Amino acid sequence: MPGGGAGLRRALLGARRAAGAASRGDAGGRRAAMSSQSRWLTAEERNQVLLDLKASGWSELGERDAIYKEFNFKNFNQAFGFMTRVALQAEKMNHHPEWFNVYSKVQITLISHDCGGLTKRDVKLAQFIDKAAASV
C-alpha cells in the first residue's frame, strides 16, 4: 500500500487481535498463557524475520498477517515426499500449515490462527520447510 499503508495495516491487525481476545473474554490471560513460540512478534523481531524470510522467497500477505511461499518440484512424488516431511514436523509442533498441492507444485501459507497472526512458530516452521525443500 502506498503512503504508509503497512503501518495502518499493522494497527488494524492489532485492533483485530484485541477485539478477538476481548470476544473470547481473555484479553490478558490468553496472551499471557501462550508459549514463547506462539506469542506475537515484536515490531523489531517481525522486521528482522521478515527480511530473512523474504530473502529465502517467502512473501508477506497483504490481506492477512501471514506468510506465503510456492514450491515447485520435479514431479508429484517429490512434492508429496516434501509435504510428508513437513506434515510430520507440523504435527510435532502442533502447528499446521494451510497448503495446496497440484502435481509438482505446493503452495504454503503460515499463520498462527490461535493468535490471529504471525508468531515465532510460523518462523520456525518456515525455516524447517525451507530446509526440507532444499533436501529434496
Side-chain angles (χ1 to χ4, degrees), residues 41-68:
L41 299 168
T42 66
E44 186 177 318
E45 289 171 329
R46 182 185 185 83
N47 290 338
Q48 183 56 53
V49 297
L50 284 176
L51 282 174
D52 296 341
L53 290 171
K54 285 178 179 180
S56 67
W58 291 88
S59 59
E60 193 175 3
L61 295 180
E63 68 279 2
R64 300 170 64 192
D65 188 20
I67 54 175
Y68 170 87

Side-chain angles (χ1 to χ4, degrees), residues 37 63-64 66 68 70 90 101 105 117 132 134:
Q37 294 291 305
E63 68 279 2
R64 300 170 64 192
Y68 170 87
E70 188 171 301
N101 165 245
K105 182 177 15 177

